[in-house]
Amino acid sequence: MWWEQAVIYQVYVRSFQDTDGDGVGDLPGVTAHLDHIASLGAKAVWLSPIYPSPNADFGYDVSDFTDVEPVFGTLADLDALVARAHQLGLKVVLDFVPCHTSTEHAWFREHPEYYVWADAPANNWRAAFGGSSWGRDEQSGRYYLHSFFPEQADLNWRNPEVREQMTGAMRFWLDRGIDGFRLDALDRLMKDPDLRDDPPATHRPELPGDAADLELDHIHSRNAPDLGSALIEIRAAVGDALLVGEVYLPIAEAVPYLESLDVVFNFEELFAVGDPDRLRDAIEAGLRTGGQGWVLSNHDFSRLVTRAGVPNARAVTLLLLSLPGPVFLFQGDELGIGDTRMKGPEQDRNHRDPFRTPMLWDDNEPHAGFSTRDPWLTPSDPVPPAVAQQRDDPASVLSLTRNAIALRERLGAEQGRVLSSAPGTLAVERGGHVIAVNLSGSPAPSPAPLASGQIVLEARPGDGADPSVIPPHGGWVAKLSG
Ligand code: TEU
């Protein structure tokens, strides 16, 4: 399948390229820069939600599943984007949000039976972004379930009509040439039918979460035992389109989702990149599991540069891009963008804005070429050089990213194995190569005997020419001798 070793590039449409001068990115802006994505060697582009939305959660509160948000453009703009992508050999993956709708979706009034209701808050469940999961509907005086913001009412996937409507919407996009879906927040798709209380937490959660994750074990409010039945219907509706699940669970618990999905994100890896031991565990778990995708960054969490730490970001980028299976690259990862703070009134408006800063196309243009006027979000911290400034610099993060992606062809599909290596280092052998990175501050011995001249790619050009040593905060990919 096309996605098995693919690099999939995530576009946060609001922040990619503005073409109509309103300071917000749009679909024609994505189309205009698809050649950049193709030139990286990515095989697909995943678009953050493009549907009409009141933007309580920037597109993840959908008010119509079969149209395009006017600020982003029109259905015709999307058709043009898909046509251009396919011309360039890129697949197009849409972010689909099956768990909830905006409370401004017409269904919320016309089809209340599509949602989960109670006369009073029915249990102790907590919403991901704080507070009770039960929101009061002022009009009826009743309470509806919401796993995220109160503006995002949870759909009731035990109602067959909901399943029909949602799978119908997915088919609508497939008919327009879409190649797959990233399915949002899937572990919240179905909950305990009896709405039982979540018990007090007995241990620290394996993945970071909100304060409520330290208080409650979310065993009833997510990941219901019969959730797989909905996934089977989704799979039946979409044929062999790519289905990537955002399942916010440790990878071992996400495995059952792979009965219907092609890929789930490896979140353990995402949170482990700052700690070589945890990262080794996460990579080993991922290699064992298969069917999972490595994530450099996404729009919800601190950027790779910030999580890995500036000195190690290049080495971690090289490592993750050299692993088998799909790899998800968030726009700006290829430039080395880290978290930024916001200017003026934008400061602290949304706790995830620091990871969603506008793309940097050309430092000689106003707003680095993102927009002709003030962008919707303006970083206040220094940002790395833009695409035009990094493109021809062999030492740039952009060159490293492009070269590491090109190297994936040579490494092939072999799962590979983690080698034992010096403390603070990580080494993987696969496809006749060793990928070794050193996340410590001192030089470390090579994990395997390599002849000199075998290095095919370095995370720090010029520093690591000796394959008997992994340079501090560096790394390389080298051919195995013999
Ligand atoms: O994210 C799901 C999500 O945010 C949770 O898994 C969260 O990380 C966890 O509960 C920890 O608190 C998706 C989108 O990526 C995100 O942008 C949306 O806000 C969210 O769903 C709601 O649609």
Side-chain angles (χ1 to χ4, degrees):
M1 300 298 275
W2 64 263
W3 45 264
E4 282 173 16
Q5 301 301 325
V7 169
I8 299 178
Y9 186 100
Q10 180 188 354
V11 167
Y12 197 69
V13 180
R14 296 186 72 76
S15 299
F16 199 60
Q17 175 71 68
D18 171 26
T19 60
D20 57 3
D22 63 358
V24 176
D26 45 48
L27 293 179
V30 180
T31 309
H33 285 297
L34 286 172
D35 54 348
H36 166 69
I37 300 171
S39 77
L40 288 172
K43 295 255 187 322
V45 51
W46 143 28
L47 303 177
S48 58
I50 58 163
Y51 321 100
S53 168
N55 285 331
D57 190 14
F58 285 135
Y60 288 97
D61 48 323
V62 178
S63 53
D64 183 349
F65 288 100
T66 54
D67 206 348
V68 166
E69 162 61 40
V71 169
F72 291 162
T74 61
L75 277 169
D77 291 327
L78 183 77
D79 292 342
L81 186 160
V82 172
R84 176 71 183 135
H86 287 169
Q87 238 173 28
L88 289 166
L90 289 169
K91 306 282 187 187
V92 181
V93 174
L94 288 191
D95 209 317
F96 194 73
V97 189
C99 302
H100 41 260
T101 76
S102 165
T103 47
E104 290 181 36
H105 195 297
W107 294 344
F108 194 64
R109 294 288 161 222
E110 291 165 15
H111 290 285
E113 74 280 10
Y114 286 6
Y115 301 85
V116 182
W117 293 92
D119 291 329
N123 54 33
N124 69 349
W125 295 356
R126 306 270 302 177
F129 303 135
S132 165
S133 286
W134 295 93
R136 190 181 139 89
D137 169 33
E138 293 308 328
Q139 201 164 310
S140 65
R142 302 191 76 215
Y143 288 78
Y144 61 91
L145 187 62
H146 65 87
S147 292
F148 294 92
F149 287 118
E151 293 88 346
Q152 294 164 296
D154 285 14
L155 284 166
N156 177 9
W157 273 75
R158 291 197 177 85
N159 179 337
E161 268 179 57
V162 166
R163 295 182 178 208
E164 238 168 74
Q165 291 277 13
M166 296 302 275
T167 53
M170 295 175 85
R171 279 196 304 270
F172 170 88
W173 295 109
L174 293 176
D175 289 345
R176 293 195 100 90
I178 294 301
D179 302 287
F181 300 96
R182 176 255 188 202
L183 298 172
D184 185 63
L186 267 191
D187 47 295
R188 320 287 182 121
L189 192 64
M190 286 166 69
K191 299 103 191 163
D192 180 38
D194 299 325
L195 305 175
R196 281 174 288 178
D197 272 2
D198 277 335
T202 50
H203 61 276
R204 277 191 82 81
E206 286 174 68
L207 300 176
D210 51 60
D213 290 329
L214 296 174
E215 293 158 24
L216 299 173
D217 262 342
H218 299 291
I219 58 168
H220 296 310
S221 57
R222 54 180 87 157
N223 201 23
D226 55 341
L227 197 152
S229 68
L231 301 184
I232 288 171
E233 274 187 49
I234 291 177
R235 170 53 77 195
V238 305
D240 64 1
L242 171 67
L243 291 179
V244 180
E246 190 211 17
V247 182
Y248 197 72
L249 292 171
I251 197 74
E253 288 171 54
V255 168
Y257 290 72
L258 290 169
E259 283 170 26
S260 295
L261 308 181
D262 299 302
V263 185
V264 293
F265 297 122
N266 187 334
F267 283 112
E268 273 148 293
E269 168 272 294
L270 182 107
F271 294 112
V273 296
D275 175 339
D277 290 330
R278 273 178 69 198
L279 186 55
R280 183 179 298 105
D281 289 346
I283 289 176
E284 281 181 334
L287 293 180
R288 263 196 313 275
T289 306
Q292 50 87 59
W294 313 101
V295 183
L296 269 74
S297 301
N298 69 27
H299 61 292
D300 285 335
F301 301 108
S302 259
R303 291 273 199 165
L304 176 109
V305 170
T306 306
R307 278 178 287 111
V310 174
N312 284 330
R314 288 179 66 105
V316 172
T317 298
L318 176 73
L319 175 68
L320 294 180
L321 284 172
S322 305
L323 295 175
V327 185
F328 295 86
L329 192 80
F330 183 38
Q331 65 179 58
D333 284 343
E334 76 277 33
L335 303 175
I337 293 184
D339 297 358
T340 47
R341 280 171 301 127
M342 299 307 135
K343 270 192 187 146
E346 290 158 342
Q347 230 162 349
D348 301 328
R349 179 181 53 190
N350 181 322
H351 63 293
R352 293 168 297 173
D353 279 355
F355 330 131
R356 300 171 174 181
T357 50
M359 261 303 268
L360 308 163
W361 295 108
D362 188 341
D363 290 332
N364 297 323
E365 304 277 335
H367 309 298
F370 166 70
S371 175
T372 51
R373 55 158 278 184
D374 277 352
W376 73 278
L377 202 59
T378 312
S380 63
D381 291 334
V383 286
V387 172
Q389 283 64 41
Q390 293 202 31
R391 194 184 286 131
D392 301 319
D393 172 2
S396 68
V397 180
L398 181 55
S399 295
L400 174 79
T401 304
R402 203 171 43 217
N403 294 338
I405 295 174
L407 192 62
R408 292 173 63 76
E409 303 287 336
R410 267 216 243 180
L411 300 176
E414 192 194 325
Q415 275 300 93
R417 64 191 177 101
V418 178
L419 300 176
S420 65
S421 63
T425 72
L426 256 154
V428 174
E429 181 195 322
R430 72 181 198 100
H433 290 75
V434 174
I435 304 115
V437 296
N438 182 356
L439 308 182
S440 81
S442 8
S446 171
L450 298 167
S452 62
Q454 298 294 295
I455 288 182
V456 292
L457 185 56
E458 299 167 55
R460 287 179 33 177
D463 280 352
D466 176 2
S468 66
V469 173
I470 327 174
H473 305 302
W476 38 250
V477 179
K479 266 190 259 171
L480 262 179
S481 59

